[in-house]
Amino acid sequence: MTACGCPLILFAKNMITAEALGSTIANYLTTNGLFLVDIEITKDNDITIAIESAKEDVKIDNCIDIDRLIASEFDRDVEDYSLTVTSAGLDQPFKVLNQYIKFIGSEVEVVIKGGGKVKGILSAANEEAFEITTSKMVKVEGSKKKVQQDTVTPYTYAEIKSCKPVIKFK
């Protein structure tokens, strides 16, 4: 009630949740060999959904299909939202384990929380940690030639700021 005794009516914008969006597209993602990387929803209901393919590049048709699927479940006039469906950017840090798994065998850059960066080959990943293999040429005693020495270093997700693929242009 207001000071004049009139009922107070608040018009609140309906909010779509990341959980509702995720469950709406989960079956489509699984069926099409895709996985969810991130769902961001601003206070103005601007929604960005980032997806990735486990084996290949995300196709524009995948983004269109997901846009249509969400539009069929959430009325834009009622919910008042804008939607962007995109593939996870190559220049963006990994957010989910499936990204680490996809890039096993590829060169990545790791930024460590304590300071410093490491570039190497992502050689393994699981729920607790991942491994980076770095190589350097070292001189072996009694030999004139240097040999390649590989070092495998494990990292927990808690000890890094980010990990992302190294983009090389040929």
Side-chain angles (χ1 to χ4, degrees), residues 68-156:
R68 289 180 179 154
L69 184 59
I70 290 171
S72 72
E73 293 291 317
F74 301 95
D75 186 342
R76 288 182 197 256
D77 294 331
V78 173
E79 302 291 344
D80 189 24
Y81 66 91
S82 69
L83 176 64
T84 303
V85 181
T86 184
S87 64
L90 273 181
D91 62 338
Q92 299 298 309
F94 298 150
K95 293 185 178 184
V96 296
L97 176 60
N98 285 341
Q99 289 177 293
Y100 285 86
I101 292 169
K102 178 180 179 174
F103 284 93
I104 288 176
S106 299
E107 187 175 13
V108 295
E109 178 183 83
V110 178
V111 179
I112 302 165
K113 282 185 180 175
K117 291 181 184 180
V118 176
K119 281 187 182 179
I121 303 299
L122 180 59
S123 50
N126 61 36
E127 293 81 13
E128 290 84 36
F130 64 96
E131 294 178 348
I132 301 296
T133 302
T134 54
S135 299
K136 65 180 176 180
M137 298 301 286
V138 295
K139 184 169 174 138
V140 177
E141 196 170 320
S143 175
K144 292 182 180 182
K145 290 186 173 184
K146 290 184 177 183
V147 295
Q148 181 174 313
Q149 181 181 38
D150 292 342
T151 304
V152 177
T153 307
Y155 294 95
T156 65

Side-chain angles (χ1 to χ4, degrees), residues 49-62:
I49 298 176
I51 59 172
E52 185 63 77
S53 171
K55 305 223 184 294
E56 55 191 32
D57 294 333
V58 173
K59 295 177 177 36
I60 189 71
D61 289 341
N62 298 131

Side-chain angles (χ1 to χ4, degrees), residues 27-52:
N27 189 45
Y28 177 87
L29 294 175
T30 302
T31 303
N32 290 280
L34 303 169
F35 58 89
L36 181 63
V37 173
D38 194 25
I39 297 177
E40 292 181 8
I41 305 173
T42 69
K43 63 181 179 172
D44 295 326
N45 252 6
D46 295 326
I47 302 166
T48 302
I49 298 176
I51 59 172
E52 185 63 77

